[in-house]
Amino acid sequence: PLPCIPTGSQLPCFHGSSTIRNLKERFHMNMTEEQLQVLIEQLVDGSMRSITTKLYDGFQYLTNGIM
């Protein structure tokens, strides 16, 4: 199980669904530290070159002064 979700949770979103499996996939629970490092570097590199990232950063700067 995911360490942040207690086993046997009574929350309805965890009953009879693929929530836990999807969370494990999303958090890449099956990867080693080295594999995660490569993945994160690829994600960061990709976002740094993305036009949508640049547009969103510009929006944040204009509307909130966040750089």
Side-chain angles (χ1 to χ4, degrees):
L2 293 171
C4 60
I5 300 172
T7 304
S9 174
Q10 297 303 308
L11 296 172
C13 59
F14 295 113
H15 289 266
S17 72
S18 56
T19 304
I20 299 295
R21 185 184 74 244
N22 291 341
L23 285 171
K24 285 181 180 181
E25 288 175 14
R26 184 174 190 164
F27 295 143
H28 305 285
M29 302 285 287
N30 59 333
M31 290 187 166
T32 65
E33 290 289 325
E34 293 78 19
Q35 291 171 323
L36 285 170
Q37 184 174 357
V38 170
L39 174 65
I40 296 303
E41 288 173 1
Q42 290 171 345
L43 291 171
V44 170
D45 287 343
S47 69
M48 288 176 62
R49 289 189 296 264
S50 170
I51 185 66
T52 55
T53 299
K54 290 176 178 43
L55 291 170
Y56 184 73
D57 287 348
F59 171 79
Q60 287 294 324
Y61 178 74
L62 291 173
T63 59
N64 302 313
I66 299 172
M67 184 93 165

Short mmCIF file of all heavy atoms in Angstrom, two decimals:
data_model
loop_
_atom_site.label_atom_id
_atom_site.label_comp_id
_atom_site.label_asym_id
_atom_site.label_seq_id
_atom_site.Cartn_x
_atom_site.Cartn_y
_atom_site.Cartn_z
N PRO A 1 0.82 -1.20 0.00
CA PRO A 1 0.00 0.00 0.00
C PRO A 1 0.85 1.26 0.00
O PRO A 1 2.02 1.23 0.37
CB PRO A 1 -0.82 -0.11 1.27
CG PRO A 1 -0.16 -1.12 2.13
CD PRO A 1 0.68 -1.97 1.25
N LEU A 2 0.25 2.34 -0.37
CA LEU A 2 0.94 3.62 -0.30
C LEU A 2 1.06 4.02 1.15
O LEU A 2 0.11 3.91 1.91
CB LEU A 2 0.16 4.69 -1.07
CG LEU A 2 0.09 4.49 -2.58
CD1 LEU A 2 -0.88 5.48 -3.20
CD2 LEU A 2 1.44 4.65 -3.20
N PRO A 3 2.23 4.51 1.56
CA PRO A 3 2.43 4.84 2.97
C PRO A 3 1.50 5.94 3.48
O PRO A 3 1.20 5.99 4.66
CB PRO A 3 3.88 5.31 3.04
CG PRO A 3 4.41 5.29 1.67
CD PRO A 3 3.39 4.73 0.76
N CYS A 4 1.00 6.81 2.60
CA CYS A 4 0.16 7.92 3.06
C CYS A 4 -1.31 7.53 3.18
O CYS A 4 -2.12 8.31 3.65
CB CYS A 4 0.32 9.11 2.12
SG CYS A 4 -0.16 8.74 0.43
N ILE A 5 -1.67 6.31 2.77
CA ILE A 5 -3.07 5.88 2.83
C ILE A 5 -3.13 4.65 3.74
O ILE A 5 -2.54 3.62 3.44
CB ILE A 5 -3.61 5.53 1.44
CG1 ILE A 5 -3.54 6.76 0.54
CG2 ILE A 5 -5.03 5.00 1.54
CD1 ILE A 5 -3.86 6.50 -0.91
N PRO A 6 -3.84 4.77 4.85
CA PRO A 6 -3.92 3.63 5.76
C PRO A 6 -4.59 2.42 5.11
O PRO A 6 -5.55 2.57 4.36
CB PRO A 6 -4.76 4.15 6.93
CG PRO A 6 -5.17 5.53 6.60
CD PRO A 6 -4.61 5.90 5.27
N THR A 7 -4.08 1.25 5.42
CA THR A 7 -4.68 0.02 4.92
C THR A 7 -6.10 -0.10 5.47
O THR A 7 -6.34 0.20 6.63
CB THR A 7 -3.84 -1.20 5.36
OG1 THR A 7 -2.51 -1.00 4.90
CG2 THR A 7 -4.38 -2.49 4.77
N GLY A 8 -7.03 -0.50 4.63
CA GLY A 8 -8.41 -0.66 5.06
C GLY A 8 -9.14 0.67 5.19
O GLY A 8 -10.08 0.77 5.98
N SER A 9 -8.73 1.65 4.44
CA SER A 9 -9.37 2.96 4.50
C SER A 9 -10.86 2.84 4.25
O SER A 9 -11.31 2.08 3.41
CB SER A 9 -8.75 3.89 3.46
OG SER A 9 -9.46 5.10 3.42
N GLN A 10 -11.65 3.59 4.99
CA GLN A 10 -13.11 3.58 4.85
C GLN A 10 -13.59 4.65 3.87
O GLN A 10 -14.79 4.80 3.66
CB GLN A 10 -13.77 3.79 6.22
CG GLN A 10 -13.47 2.68 7.20
CD GLN A 10 -13.90 1.32 6.67
OE1 GLN A 10 -15.03 1.14 6.25
NE2 GLN A 10 -12.99 0.37 6.67
N LEU A 11 -12.67 5.41 3.29
CA LEU A 11 -13.06 6.44 2.34
C LEU A 11 -13.65 5.79 1.09
O LEU A 11 -13.07 4.86 0.53
CB LEU A 11 -11.85 7.31 1.96
CG LEU A 11 -11.24 8.12 3.09
CD1 LEU A 11 -9.95 8.78 2.63
CD2 LEU A 11 -12.23 9.17 3.58
N PRO A 12 -14.80 6.26 0.64
CA PRO A 12 -15.49 5.62 -0.49
C PRO A 12 -14.67 5.62 -1.78
O PRO A 12 -14.81 4.71 -2.60
CB PRO A 12 -16.76 6.45 -0.68
CG PRO A 12 -16.78 7.48 0.38
CD PRO A 12 -15.54 7.38 1.19
N CYS A 13 -13.79 6.60 -1.96
CA CYS A 13 -13.03 6.66 -3.20
C CYS A 13 -12.03 5.52 -3.34
O CYS A 13 -11.51 5.29 -4.42
CB CYS A 13 -12.32 8.01 -3.32
SG CYS A 13 -11.17 8.35 -1.97
N PHE A 14 -11.76 4.78 -2.26
CA PHE A 14 -10.80 3.68 -2.32
C PHE A 14 -11.47 2.31 -2.39
O PHE A 14 -10.82 1.29 -2.44
CB PHE A 14 -9.86 3.72 -1.12
CG PHE A 14 -8.99 4.93 -1.11
CD1 PHE A 14 -9.15 5.90 -0.13
CD2 PHE A 14 -8.03 5.13 -2.08
CE1 PHE A 14 -8.35 7.03 -0.13
CE2 PHE A 14 -7.24 6.25 -2.09
CZ PHE A 14 -7.40 7.21 -1.10
N HIS A 15 -12.80 2.27 -2.41
CA HIS A 15 -13.51 0.99 -2.42
C HIS A 15 -13.89 0.59 -3.84
O HIS A 15 -14.53 1.34 -4.56
CB HIS A 15 -14.77 1.08 -1.56
CG HIS A 15 -14.45 1.16 -0.10
ND1 HIS A 15 -14.41 0.06 0.70
CD2 HIS A 15 -14.12 2.22 0.67
CE1 HIS A 15 -14.08 0.43 1.93
NE2 HIS A 15 -13.89 1.75 1.94
N GLY A 16 -13.47 -0.62 -4.23
CA GLY A 16 -13.87 -1.18 -5.51
C GLY A 16 -13.42 -0.38 -6.72
O GLY A 16 -14.07 -0.41 -7.75
N SER A 17 -12.33 0.33 -6.58
CA SER A 17 -11.85 1.11 -7.72
C SER A 17 -10.37 0.84 -7.93
O SER A 17 -9.73 0.12 -7.19
CB SER A 17 -12.09 2.60 -7.49
OG SER A 17 -11.20 3.08 -6.51
N SER A 18 -9.85 1.46 -8.95
CA SER A 18 -8.43 1.29 -9.27
C SER A 18 -7.60 2.47 -8.74
O SER A 18 -6.50 2.70 -9.21
CB SER A 18 -8.27 1.17 -10.78
OG SER A 18 -8.84 2.30 -11.41
N THR A 19 -8.11 3.16 -7.74
CA THR A 19 -7.44 4.36 -7.22
C THR A 19 -6.03 4.07 -6.74
O THR A 19 -5.09 4.78 -7.11
CB THR A 19 -8.27 4.97 -6.07
OG1 THR A 19 -9.58 5.26 -6.55
CG2 THR A 19 -7.63 6.23 -5.56
N ILE A 20 -5.86 3.04 -5.94
CA ILE A 20 -4.54 2.72 -5.39
C ILE A 20 -3.57 2.37 -6.51
O ILE A 20 -2.44 2.86 -6.54
CB ILE A 20 -4.61 1.57 -4.36
CG1 ILE A 20 -5.51 1.97 -3.18
CG2 ILE A 20 -3.23 1.17 -3.88
CD1 ILE A 20 -4.98 3.11 -2.35
N ARG A 21 -4.00 1.54 -7.46
CA ARG A 21 -3.13 1.17 -8.58
C ARG A 21 -2.74 2.42 -9.37
O ARG A 21 -1.58 2.60 -9.74
CB ARG A 21 -3.81 0.15 -9.48
CG ARG A 21 -2.88 -0.36 -10.59
CD ARG A 21 -3.56 -1.31 -11.56
NE ARG A 21 -4.45 -0.56 -12.45
CZ ARG A 21 -5.77 -0.70 -12.49
NH1 ARG A 21 -6.38 -1.57 -11.71
NH2 ARG A 21 -6.50 0.03 -13.31
N ASN A 22 -3.71 3.28 -9.64
CA ASN A 22 -3.43 4.51 -10.39
C ASN A 22 -2.46 5.42 -9.64
O ASN A 22 -1.58 6.04 -10.25
CB ASN A 22 -4.72 5.25 -10.71
CG ASN A 22 -5.57 4.52 -11.71
OD1 ASN A 22 -5.09 3.66 -12.44
ND2 ASN A 22 -6.85 4.84 -11.74
N LEU A 23 -2.61 5.52 -8.33
CA LEU A 23 -1.70 6.34 -7.54
C LEU A 23 -0.27 5.76 -7.57
O LEU A 23 0.70 6.50 -7.71
CB LEU A 23 -2.18 6.46 -6.09
CG LEU A 23 -3.37 7.38 -5.87
CD1 LEU A 23 -3.89 7.23 -4.44
CD2 LEU A 23 -2.99 8.82 -6.15
N LYS A 24 -0.17 4.43 -7.46
CA LYS A 24 1.15 3.80 -7.52
C LYS A 24 1.81 4.07 -8.86
O LYS A 24 3.01 4.35 -8.93
CB LYS A 24 1.04 2.30 -7.27
CG LYS A 24 0.80 1.95 -5.83
CD LYS A 24 0.72 0.44 -5.65
CE LYS A 24 0.48 0.10 -4.20
NZ LYS A 24 0.42 -1.35 -3.98
N GLU A 25 1.03 3.98 -9.94
CA GLU A 25 1.57 4.28 -11.26
C GLU A 25 1.99 5.74 -11.36
O GLU A 25 3.07 6.06 -11.87
CB GLU A 25 0.55 3.95 -12.35
CG GLU A 25 0.34 2.47 -12.56
CD GLU A 25 -0.78 2.17 -13.56
OE1 GLU A 25 -1.21 3.10 -14.27
OE2 GLU A 25 -1.21 1.01 -13.61
N ARG A 26 1.16 6.62 -10.86
CA ARG A 26 1.45 8.06 -10.95
C ARG A 26 2.68 8.43 -10.14
O ARG A 26 3.45 9.30 -10.53
CB ARG A 26 0.24 8.83 -10.44
CG ARG A 26 0.39 10.32 -10.56
CD ARG A 26 -0.88 11.02 -10.18
NE ARG A 26 -0.77 12.41 -10.53
CZ ARG A 26 -1.78 13.24 -10.62
NH1 ARG A 26 -2.99 12.80 -10.37
NH2 ARG A 26 -1.60 14.49 -10.92
N PHE A 27 2.87 7.78 -8.98
CA PHE A 27 4.02 8.06 -8.13
C PHE A 27 5.24 7.22 -8.49
O PHE A 27 6.28 7.33 -7.84
CB PHE A 27 3.67 7.84 -6.66
CG PHE A 27 2.64 8.80 -6.13
CD1 PHE A 27 1.69 8.37 -5.23
CD2 PHE A 27 2.61 10.12 -6.54
CE1 PHE A 27 0.73 9.25 -4.73
CE2 PHE A 27 1.66 11.00 -6.05
CZ PHE A 27 0.72 10.57 -5.14
N HIS A 28 5.11 6.36 -9.52
CA HIS A 28 6.22 5.54 -10.01
C HIS A 28 6.84 4.71 -8.88
O HIS A 28 8.06 4.67 -8.72
CB HIS A 28 7.27 6.42 -10.70
CG HIS A 28 6.69 7.26 -11.79
ND1 HIS A 28 6.35 6.73 -13.01
CD2 HIS A 28 6.37 8.58 -11.85
CE1 HIS A 28 5.85 7.69 -13.78
NE2 HIS A 28 5.84 8.82 -13.10
N MET A 29 5.98 4.05 -8.13
CA MET A 29 6.42 3.27 -6.98
C MET A 29 7.31 2.08 -7.37
O MET A 29 7.99 1.53 -6.51
CB MET A 29 5.21 2.76 -6.20
CG MET A 29 4.27 3.83 -5.71
SD MET A 29 4.89 4.74 -4.31
CE MET A 29 4.70 3.53 -3.02
N ASN A 30 7.31 1.70 -8.63
CA ASN A 30 8.07 0.53 -9.07
C ASN A 30 9.47 0.89 -9.54
O ASN A 30 10.23 0.02 -9.93
CB ASN A 30 7.32 -0.19 -10.19
CG ASN A 30 7.10 0.72 -11.40
OD1 ASN A 30 7.02 1.94 -11.25
ND2 ASN A 30 6.98 0.14 -12.57
N MET A 31 9.84 2.17 -9.51
CA MET A 31 11.15 2.61 -10.01
C MET A 31 12.18 2.71 -8.89
O MET A 31 11.84 2.98 -7.75
CB MET A 31 11.03 3.97 -10.70
CG MET A 31 10.30 3.95 -11.99
SD MET A 31 10.43 5.58 -12.75
CE MET A 31 9.89 5.21 -14.39
N THR A 32 13.43 2.50 -9.29
CA THR A 32 14.53 2.70 -8.35
C THR A 32 14.81 4.20 -8.22
O THR A 32 14.33 5.00 -9.01
CB THR A 32 15.81 2.00 -8.84
OG1 THR A 32 16.24 2.65 -10.05
CG2 THR A 32 15.59 0.52 -9.10
N GLU A 33 15.62 4.56 -7.23
CA GLU A 33 16.00 5.97 -7.06
C GLU A 33 16.68 6.51 -8.31
O GLU A 33 16.42 7.63 -8.73
CB GLU A 33 16.94 6.12 -5.85
CG GLU A 33 16.27 5.89 -4.52
CD GLU A 33 15.33 7.00 -4.13
OE1 GLU A 33 15.61 8.17 -4.44
OE2 GLU A 33 14.29 6.69 -3.52
N GLU A 34 17.52 5.68 -8.91
CA GLU A 34 18.24 6.11 -10.11
C GLU A 34 17.28 6.34 -11.28
O GLU A 34 17.40 7.30 -12.02
CB GLU A 34 19.32 5.09 -10.50
CG GLU A 34 20.47 4.99 -9.49
CD GLU A 34 20.13 4.17 -8.25
OE1 GLU A 34 19.15 3.38 -8.27
OE2 GLU A 34 20.84 4.34 -7.24
N GLN A 35 16.34 5.43 -11.45
CA GLN A 35 15.34 5.58 -12.51
C GLN A 35 14.48 6.82 -12.29
O GLN A 35 14.17 7.55 -13.23
CB GLN A 35 14.45 4.34 -12.58
CG GLN A 35 15.16 3.10 -13.08
CD GLN A 35 14.31 1.86 -12.93
OE1 GLN A 35 13.57 1.69 -11.94
NE2 GLN A 35 14.40 0.94 -13.90
N LEU A 36 14.12 7.08 -11.04
CA LEU A 36 13.34 8.28 -10.72
C LEU A 36 14.12 9.55 -11.02
O LEU A 36 13.56 10.52 -11.54
CB LEU A 36 12.93 8.26 -9.24
CG LEU A 36 11.80 7.31 -8.89
CD1 LEU A 36 11.65 7.19 -7.39
CD2 LEU A 36 10.50 7.74 -9.53
N GLN A 37 15.41 9.53 -10.72
CA GLN A 37 16.23 10.71 -11.00
C GLN A 37 16.25 11.01 -12.50
O GLN A 37 16.08 12.16 -12.91
CB GLN A 37 17.65 10.50 -10.48
CG GLN A 37 18.52 11.72 -10.65
CD GLN A 37 19.88 11.57 -10.01
OE1 GLN A 37 20.17 10.55 -9.37
NE2 GLN A 37 20.72 12.56 -10.17
N VAL A 38 16.42 9.99 -13.32
CA VAL A 38 16.42 10.17 -14.78
C VAL A 38 15.06 10.68 -15.24
O VAL A 38 14.97 11.61 -16.04
CB VAL A 38 16.79 8.85 -15.49
CG1 VAL A 38 16.55 8.94 -16.99
CG2 VAL A 38 18.24 8.48 -15.20
N LEU A 39 13.98 10.08 -14.73
CA LEU A 39 12.63 10.50 -15.11
C LEU A 39 12.39 11.96 -14.75
O LEU A 39 11.89 12.74 -15.57
CB LEU A 39 11.58 9.61 -14.43
CG LEU A 39 10.13 10.04 -14.64
CD1 LEU A 39 9.74 9.93 -16.11
CD2 LEU A 39 9.20 9.24 -13.77
N ILE A 40 12.74 12.35 -13.54
CA ILE A 40 12.52 13.73 -13.10
C ILE A 40 13.33 14.70 -13.95
O ILE A 40 12.83 15.76 -14.35
CB ILE A 40 12.86 13.89 -11.61
CG1 ILE A 40 11.93 13.04 -10.74
CG2 ILE A 40 12.80 15.36 -11.19
CD1 ILE A 40 10.47 13.32 -10.91
N GLU A 41 14.56 14.36 -14.25
CA GLU A 41 15.38 15.22 -15.11
C GLU A 41 14.74 15.37 -16.49
O GLU A 41 14.71 16.47 -17.05
CB GLU A 41 16.80 14.67 -15.22
CG GLU A 41 17.59 14.86 -13.93
CD GLU A 41 18.94 14.17 -13.95
OE1 GLU A 41 19.31 13.55 -14.97
OE2 GLU A 41 19.65 14.27 -12.93
N GLN A 42 14.20 14.29 -17.03
CA GLN A 42 13.53 14.35 -18.33
C GLN A 42 12.27 15.22 -18.26
O GLN A 42 12.00 16.02 -19.17
CB GLN A 42 13.16 12.95 -18.81
CG GLN A 42 14.34 12.11 -19.21
CD GLN A 42 13.97 10.65 -19.46
OE1 GLN A 42 12.88 10.18 -19.10
NE2 GLN A 42 14.87 9.91 -20.09
N LEU A 43 11.51 15.09 -17.18
CA LEU A 43 10.30 15.89 -17.02
C LEU A 43 10.63 17.38 -16.91
O LEU A 43 9.97 18.22 -17.52
CB LEU A 43 9.51 15.43 -15.79
CG LEU A 43 8.85 14.06 -15.88
CD1 LEU A 43 8.31 13.63 -14.52
CD2 LEU A 43 7.75 14.05 -16.92
N VAL A 44 11.65 17.69 -16.12
CA VAL A 44 12.05 19.09 -15.95
C VAL A 44 12.57 19.65 -17.27
O VAL A 44 12.19 20.76 -17.68
CB VAL A 44 13.09 19.24 -14.82
CG1 VAL A 44 13.70 20.63 -14.80
CG2 VAL A 44 12.46 18.92 -13.47
N ASP A 45 13.44 18.91 -17.95
CA ASP A 45 13.96 19.36 -19.25
C ASP A 45 12.82 19.60 -20.23
O ASP A 45 12.80 20.61 -20.94
CB ASP A 45 14.94 18.34 -19.84
CG ASP A 45 16.28 18.32 -19.13
OD1 ASP A 45 16.58 19.29 -18.40
OD2 ASP A 45 17.02 17.33 -19.31
N GLY A 46 11.87 18.70 -20.28
CA GLY A 46 10.74 18.85 -21.19
C GLY A 46 9.90 20.07 -20.85
O GLY A 46 9.47 20.80 -21.75
N SER A 47 9.68 20.31 -19.57
CA SER A 47 8.85 21.46 -19.20
C SER A 47 9.58 22.78 -19.45
O SER A 47 8.95 23.78 -19.79
CB SER A 47 8.40 21.37 -17.75
OG SER A 47 9.48 21.52 -16.87
N MET A 48 10.90 22.78 -19.31
CA MET A 48 11.66 24.00 -19.55
C MET A 48 11.62 24.41 -21.02
O MET A 48 11.72 25.59 -21.34
CB MET A 48 13.11 23.83 -19.08
CG MET A 48 13.23 23.80 -17.57
SD MET A 48 14.90 23.49 -16.98
CE MET A 48 15.77 24.87 -17.63
N ARG A 49 11.44 23.44 -21.92
CA ARG A 49 11.38 23.73 -23.35
C ARG A 49 9.96 23.90 -23.85
O ARG A 49 9.73 24.21 -25.01
CB ARG A 49 12.07 22.62 -24.13
CG ARG A 49 13.58 22.59 -23.98
CD ARG A 49 14.20 21.61 -24.95
NE ARG A 49 13.78 20.24 -24.67
CZ ARG A 49 14.45 19.38 -23.94
NH1 ARG A 49 15.60 19.71 -23.43
NH2 ARG A 49 14.00 18.17 -23.75
N SER A 50 8.99 23.72 -22.98
CA SER A 50 7.59 23.73 -23.39
C SER A 50 7.05 25.15 -23.54
O SER A 50 7.21 25.98 -22.64
CB SER A 50 6.75 22.98 -22.35
OG SER A 50 5.39 23.16 -22.59
N ILE A 51 6.38 25.40 -24.63
CA ILE A 51 5.76 26.71 -24.85
C ILE A 51 4.66 26.96 -23.83
O ILE A 51 4.47 28.08 -23.35
CB ILE A 51 5.22 26.86 -26.30
CG1 ILE A 51 4.71 28.29 -26.54
CG2 ILE A 51 4.13 25.86 -26.60
CD1 ILE A 51 5.75 29.36 -26.50
N THR A 52 3.93 25.89 -23.43
CA THR A 52 2.86 26.09 -22.46
C THR A 52 3.41 26.48 -21.09
O THR A 52 2.79 27.28 -20.38
CB THR A 52 1.98 24.83 -22.34
OG1 THR A 52 2.80 23.71 -22.04
CG2 THR A 52 1.22 24.57 -23.64
N THR A 53 4.58 25.96 -20.73
CA THR A 53 5.22 26.37 -19.48
C THR A 53 5.58 27.84 -19.54
O THR A 53 5.33 28.60 -18.60
CB THR A 53 6.47 25.53 -19.19
OG1 THR A 53 6.09 24.16 -19.06
CG2 THR A 53 7.17 25.97 -17.92
N LYS A 54 6.17 28.26 -20.65
CA LYS A 54 6.55 29.67 -20.80
C LYS A 54 5.33 30.58 -20.75
O LYS A 54 5.36 31.64 -20.13
CB LYS A 54 7.33 29.86 -22.10
CG LYS A 54 8.73 29.24 -22.07
CD LYS A 54 9.39 29.38 -23.42
CE LYS A 54 10.79 28.84 -23.49
NZ LYS A 54 11.05 27.58 -22.87
N LEU A 55 4.25 30.16 -21.40
CA LEU A 55 3.02 30.96 -21.38
C LEU A 55 2.44 31.04 -19.96
O LEU A 55 2.02 32.11 -19.51
CB LEU A 55 1.99 30.37 -22.34
CG LEU A 55 2.32 30.51 -23.83
CD1 LEU A 55 1.34 29.69 -24.66
CD2 LEU A 55 2.31 31.96 -24.24
N TYR A 56 2.43 29.93 -19.26
CA TYR A 56 1.89 29.91 -17.90
C TYR A 56 2.76 30.75 -16.97
O TYR A 56 2.25 31.50 -16.13
CB TYR A 56 1.75 28.49 -17.38
CG TYR A 56 1.10 28.43 -16.02
CD1 TYR A 56 -0.26 28.67 -15.89
CD2 TYR A 56 1.84 28.16 -14.89
CE1 TYR A 56 -0.87 28.64 -14.64
CE2 TYR A 56 1.24 28.12 -13.64
CZ TYR A 56 -0.11 28.36 -13.53
OH TYR A 56 -0.71 28.33 -12.29
N ASP A 57 4.07 30.64 -17.12
CA ASP A 57 4.97 31.46 -16.30
C ASP A 57 4.74 32.94 -16.56
O ASP A 57 4.73 33.76 -15.63
CB ASP A 57 6.43 31.11 -16.58
CG ASP A 57 6.83 29.76 -15.99
OD1 ASP A 57 6.06 29.21 -15.18
OD2 ASP A 57 7.92 29.28 -16.35
N GLY A 58 4.53 33.30 -17.82
CA GLY A 58 4.23 34.69 -18.17
C GLY A 58 2.92 35.15 -17.55
O GLY A 58 2.83 36.27 -17.03
N PHE A 59 1.91 34.29 -17.59
CA PHE A 59 0.62 34.60 -16.98
C PHE A 59 0.78 34.82 -15.48
O PHE A 59 0.25 35.79 -14.91
CB PHE A 59 -0.36 33.46 -17.26
CG PHE A 59 -1.65 33.58 -16.50
CD1 PHE A 59 -2.63 34.45 -16.94
CD2 PHE A 59 -1.87 32.82 -15.38
CE1 PHE A 59 -3.83 34.58 -16.24
CE2 PHE A 59 -3.06 32.92 -14.67
CZ PHE A 59 -4.04 33.81 -15.11
N GLN A 60 1.51 33.93 -14.81
CA GLN A 60 1.73 34.07 -13.37
C GLN A 60 2.47 35.37 -13.05
O GLN A 60 2.15 36.04 -12.08
CB GLN A 60 2.52 32.87 -12.83
CG GLN A 60 1.73 31.61 -12.74
CD GLN A 60 0.62 31.70 -11.71
OE1 GLN A 60 0.76 32.32 -10.67
NE2 GLN A 60 -0.50 31.07 -12.01
N TYR A 61 3.43 35.70 -13.87
CA TYR A 61 4.19 36.94 -13.64
C TYR A 61 3.27 38.17 -13.79
O TYR A 61 3.28 39.07 -12.95
CB TYR A 61 5.37 37.04 -14.62
CG TYR A 61 6.14 38.30 -14.45
CD1 TYR A 61 6.97 38.48 -13.35
CD2 TYR A 61 6.05 39.33 -15.38
CE1 TYR A 61 7.69 39.66 -13.17
CE2 TYR A 61 6.76 40.51 -15.21
CZ TYR A 61 7.58 40.66 -14.10
OH TYR A 61 8.26 41.83 -13.93
N LEU A 62 2.48 38.18 -14.85
CA LEU A 62 1.61 39.33 -15.10
C LEU A 62 0.50 39.47 -14.07
O LEU A 62 0.15 40.58 -13.65
CB LEU A 62 1.00 39.24 -16.49
CG LEU A 62 1.97 39.44 -17.66
CD1 LEU A 62 1.26 39.15 -18.98
CD2 LEU A 62 2.52 40.85 -17.65
N THR A 63 -0.08 38.37 -13.66
CA THR A 63 -1.24 38.43 -12.76
C THR A 63 -0.87 38.43 -11.28
O THR A 63 -1.62 38.97 -10.47
CB THR A 63 -2.21 37.26 -13.02
OG1 THR A 63 -1.53 36.02 -12.83
CG2 THR A 63 -2.76 37.34 -14.44
N ASN A 64 0.25 37.80 -10.93
CA ASN A 64 0.59 37.65 -9.51
C ASN A 64 1.97 38.14 -9.14
O ASN A 64 2.36 38.06 -7.97
CB ASN A 64 0.45 36.18 -9.09
CG ASN A 64 -0.94 35.65 -9.32
OD1 ASN A 64 -1.91 36.29 -8.96
ND2 ASN A 64 -1.04 34.48 -9.94
N GLY A 65 2.73 38.54 -10.13
CA GLY A 65 4.11 38.96 -9.84
C GLY A 65 5.02 37.80 -9.48
O GLY A 65 6.08 38.00 -8.90
N ILE A 66 4.60 36.58 -9.82
CA ILE A 66 5.39 35.38 -9.52
C ILE A 66 6.32 35.11 -10.68
O ILE A 66 5.90 34.99 -11.82
CB ILE A 66 4.48 34.16 -9.27
CG1 ILE A 66 3.58 34.42 -8.08
CG2 ILE A 66 5.32 32.90 -9.06
CD1 ILE A 66 2.51 33.35 -7.87
N MET A 67 7.57 35.00 -10.40
CA MET A 67 8.55 34.75 -11.46
C MET A 67 8.97 33.32 -11.45
O MET A 67 9.19 32.68 -10.52
CB MET A 67 9.77 35.63 -11.26
CG MET A 67 10.76 35.52 -12.34
SD MET A 67 10.36 36.80 -13.53
CE MET A 67 11.85 36.79 -14.44
#
